Amino acid sequence: MDANADTYLGTAVGPAPAAFRLTEDQVALRDAVRDLARAKVAPRAAEIDRTAEFPEDLRRLLAAQDILALPFPAAYGGIDADLLTLCLAIEELSAACATTGLILAVHALAALPIIDAGTPEQRARWLPDLAAGRTLIAFGLTEAGAGSDVAAMTTRAVRDGDGYVLDGSKRFISQGSVADLVVVFAVTDPAAGKARRHISAFVVERTSPGFSVGRLEHKMGIRGSPTTELHFDGVRVPVDHLLGAEGDGFTIAMRTFRRSRPGIAAQAVGIAQGALELATQYARDRVQFGRPIGQMQMVQALLADVDAATAAARALLYVACAAIDAGDGDPDRWASLCKLVAGDAAMKVTTDAVQVLGGSGYLEDFPVERMMRDAKITQLYEGTQQIQRLIVARSILDARG
Ligand SMILES: Cc1cc2nc3c(=O)[nH]c(=O)nc-3n(C[C@H](O)[C@H](O)[C@H](O)COP(=O)(O)OP(=O)(O)OC[C@H]3O[C@@H](n4cnc5c(N)ncnc54)[C@H](O)[C@@H]3O)c2cc1C
């Protein structure tokens, strides 16, 4: 053990990333999405939550405003946004409505395997419609028996002539009932499980015979985002629907999470920001004991903690995005760090915001109870907080100076 603290600082995590400021383009995009979200998305949020219906109108709005095009390469009609720009858009949408922020986050998540591992022909076939928002895509990894332990999946894809035949079921698939395409992970070689080479990734079109949407889950939050089972009963896909090589599926999924987990962190920061603004306004307006509650020190402490947690999570998210794009350090660690910190911040901030509003915070009349319910999912999906901790710990323990 080396007693020199400097050695420890340099060894485990690498040098701190260079300080950065948002570029003029990033600020302009953030402000434009913020204006749109406040004018058109926020007024719909309570109804989306109450009815638990997918907001098709807002999906069309995001497509018309080219917001769904952000993660796609320019060559396929996209905006080619860097990771931070994409996250700024998810954050602003989520501050108004977490379900709407998730439309963009899931679209980006599920398209990543095609952008990352697709051939030029596969990209040309699917990306232009996705970038234009004419089609939506879902990410089919989780199964009833394979959640955190994704390698335990049992959905099979068996080679048959010029294609593969898929059998099995996926669970908890966001936008499963509204997506035109699903990236499906399935076992192609059970014997290669030890080396994590047993899984392959396929693009399945919803019109494929044998494909069906199962149970729609009833959820605590993000209620307008349809979370469904998907069933594959002898679904035949041509061989050119395989992404990468046979056996690449596990690696493709893990590489995807490097760029998608910051999107969930952005959703969490957005939710926290929404709650912070509401709690602050309420503390200015609500009078008890003859003065606004914002003048009471214990309420001030709550608000200060809420502001601190939100600002800290946002700062880490932006640094993580910049570091991942720059190839600075371990991208898995950055992605897990920002999701871990932002998810926990959103849960704490929204719970404290409900406290600031007192009994009113518990009512549907104010959006903070919705935000508290929405915040919880950011600690669960795309890997639970426990899994993020495992990834961070593994990264720093494995790091060599
Ligand atoms: C609303 C919603 C939307 C979703 N969207 C998608 C989607 O679009 N696509 C998709 O593929 N999946 C999706 N998921 C699935 C999601 O990613 C999983 O729910 C998540 O990864 C956890 O898996 P699990 O629910 O099976 O929990 P489990 O893995 O059963 O975990 C249960 C508990 O055990 C803990 N645990 C498990 N293993 C360990 C370990 N090794 N060490 C410490 N603790 C551990 C977990 O942290 C958790 O607290 C979605 C889930 C929800 C709820």
Side-chain angles (χ1 to χ4, degrees), residues 109 139-142 147-149 171-174 219 222 227 377 380-384 386-387 390:
L109 154 78
F139 186 80
L141 184 68
T142 303
S148 302
D149 184 10
R171 192 169 183 216
F172 287 142
I173 307 307
S174 297
K219 309 193 297 294
I222 52 160
T227 310
I377 192 61
L380 295 171
Y381 57 15
E382 293 204 26
T384 63
Q386 286 74 25
I387 297 302
L390 289 182

Side-chain angles (χ1 to χ4, degrees), residues 138 140-141 155 166 170 182-186 200-204 230 232:
L141 184 68
T155 295
L166 272 66
K170 295 289 169 180
V182 187
V183 172
V184 180
F185 295 85
S200 302
F202 300 88
V203 177
V204 175
L230 299 179
F232 306 88

Side-chain angles (χ1 to χ4, degrees), residues 11 22 35 50 78 87 93 115 123 179 186 195 218 233 251 253 265 282 285 304 308 340 363 365 369 400-401:
T11 300
L22 297 184
D35 291 347
R50 187 171 45 76
C87 285
L93 293 171
I115 297 170
R123 292 184 192 155
H218 298 284
D233 183 10
T251 309
Y282 191 88
D285 296 343
L340 175 61
L363 305 183
D365 303 16
E369 64 83 29
R400 301 279 181 272

Side-chain angles (χ1 to χ4, degrees), residues 197-231:
R197 297 283 308 163
H198 58 311
I199 296 170
S200 302
F202 300 88
V203 177
V204 175
E205 294 167 0
R206 68 171 299 123
T207 50
S208 308
F211 172 83
S212 62
V213 176
R215 189 176 64 188
L216 177 70
E217 309 291 354
H218 298 284
K219 309 193 297 294
M220 174 192 289
I222 52 160
R223 287 168 49 77
S225 174
T227 310
T228 67
E229 288 178 342
L230 299 179
H231 301 302

Side-chain angles (χ1 to χ4, degrees), residues 353-384:
V354 168
Q355 196 68 23
V356 170
L357 268 69
S360 297
Y362 202 65
L363 305 183
E364 287 179 1
D365 303 16
F366 292 90
V368 284
E369 64 83 29
R370 183 189 81 235
M371 292 169 172
M372 184 175 155
R373 288 184 284 106
D374 286 343
K376 184 64 203 172
I377 192 61
T378 67
Q379 296 182 307
L380 295 171
Y381 57 15
E382 293 204 26
T384 63

